[in-house]
Amino acid sequence: MTRKTFLWATVAFMLIPLYVLTVNAFKGQQDILSNPFGLGGLTLEPLGRALTNPNFNVFKGYAITLLFVVAVNVLSVGLAAPAAYVIARSPKRRFRALMLFFLAGTFIPGQVLVIPVVYVLKTLGLMGTIRGFVLFETTLTLPFSIFLYAGYIATVPAVLDQAAAVDGAGRLRTFWQIVFPLMRPAVATMVILNTFSVWNDFVNPQIILGPGSGLYTVTTGVYAAVSQYSTDYTVVFPTLLLAIAPLLVFFVFMQRHIISGLTAGATKG
């Protein structure tokens, strides 16, 4: 009984704010203030105004954020997966120490790195550029990606590598053609988690890209759209709903891959 009560309390804690956001995105100001939980007075007008808000082009925000998501995921997989393969397959202690080094990176909040990163990006001439932002976001994904990939690769029988070597395949070819296809659950998990991270990030694009760059992600665009209308809920709620809607749809269809990817290393082999 206690377990069910806790479960339902957790579900309510998570879903009630989402319900309030969704319902009030289709209401006028007076209806929101008088009855925020009710279903009366629903209209599409606030959502239509949010779609045409001159302070935030939501479709441009989607496109820019999606560009960052794809670029970060491609770079993250391309860098983390081979590094994890070398660490997982090597018996040398220095590679184990390297694994601990990467693992330590998971405990460092990204916001702590912003100031030194800004200095480095300015020195390299990458401040306020897409390249600088993508490189920083990719760096943030590497520690946990390498940790997860290495744990999964360790469950893949090394005899596959030996068989490929007998057939004349080098280590690079062995990894990409033999091992990497078997990593699909782990790769899918990291792609999903990285997508959430990049899509929801506000501090890093706000500082690294900055308003002067003219590049607004979904989160910085929402800030630009609602900051001057913080008491006008007919602007706030629809804009917030438009910002999270694609991510909610993505999560509904992909959440099973998160669970399978995180548990695969423990059950495979």
Side-chain angles (χ1 to χ4, degrees):
M1 183 65 182
T2 304
R3 182 181 298 178
K4 289 185 178 180
T5 302
F6 176 76
L7 177 62
W8 283 110
T10 303
V11 170
F13 180 78
M14 298 297 293
L15 292 184
I16 288 177
L18 182 60
Y19 168 79
V20 172
L21 171 62
T22 304
V23 169
N24 290 311
F26 299 93
K27 290 182 180 180
Q29 181 81 354
Q30 189 58 42
D31 292 321
I32 295 174
L33 295 175
S34 61
N35 188 13
F37 292 94
L39 294 174
L42 298 182
T43 174
L44 293 175
E45 185 179 348
L47 197 63
R49 289 202 305 269
L51 287 171
T52 58
N53 190 330
N55 295 309
F56 174 45
N57 186 328
V58 65
F59 298 107
K60 182 180 178 181
Y62 286 161
I64 292 175
T65 307
L66 186 60
L67 170 65
F68 291 151
V69 166
V70 172
V72 169
N73 276 313
V74 169
L75 285 175
S76 180
V77 172
L79 294 173
Y85 175 68
V86 173
I87 292 174
R89 286 292 192 252
S90 177
K92 297 180 180 179
R93 289 186 177 182
R94 66 172 179 267
F95 288 100
R96 301 298 177 185
L98 185 62
M99 182 65 191
L100 294 177
F101 174 77
F102 283 117
L103 186 59
T106 62
F107 299 100
I108 303 176
Q111 289 74 19
V112 174
L113 302 175
V114 170
I115 294 178
V117 164
V118 167
Y119 177 79
V120 172
L121 292 179
K122 282 185 176 180
T123 303
L124 298 176
L126 296 175
M127 191 65 183
T129 66
I130 293 178
R131 289 177 298 167
F133 177 71
V134 169
L135 287 175
F136 178 52
E137 288 286 342
T138 302
T139 302
L140 295 179
T141 68
L142 292 181
F144 188 69
S145 296
I146 292 175
F147 171 71
L148 184 65
Y149 292 158
Y152 190 87
I153 293 172
T155 68
V156 177
V159 67
L160 297 177
D161 302 43
Q162 298 168 3
V166 170
D167 291 338
R171 295 197 69 184
L172 193 62
R173 182 181 174 188
T174 299
F175 171 70
W176 287 113
Q177 294 189 1
I178 306 298
V179 178
F180 184 75
L182 300 176
M183 295 171 54
R184 187 179 301 174
V187 172
T189 298
M190 283 313 308
V191 167
I192 295 169
L193 296 179
N194 292 341
T195 298
F196 291 160
S197 176
V198 176
W199 191 281
N200 291 324
D201 195 2
F202 170 74
V203 174
N204 294 328
Q206 182 72 4
I207 294 178
I208 295 177
L209 294 177
S213 67
L215 298 172
Y216 287 95
T217 63
V218 168
T219 52
T220 57
V222 167
Y223 176 75
V226 307
S227 60
Q228 57 182 316
Y229 303 111
S230 57
T231 58
D232 186 354
Y233 298 117
T234 61
V235 174
V236 175
F237 282 116
T239 305
L240 291 176
L241 180 62
L242 290 173
I244 69 170
L247 207 57
L248 289 176
V249 174
F250 180 74
F251 175 77
V252 168
F253 284 99
M254 301 297 291
Q255 54 87 21
R256 64 186 180 89
H257 293 287
I258 301 178
I259 299 173
S260 64
L262 291 176
T263 59
T267 58
K268 187 176 175 65

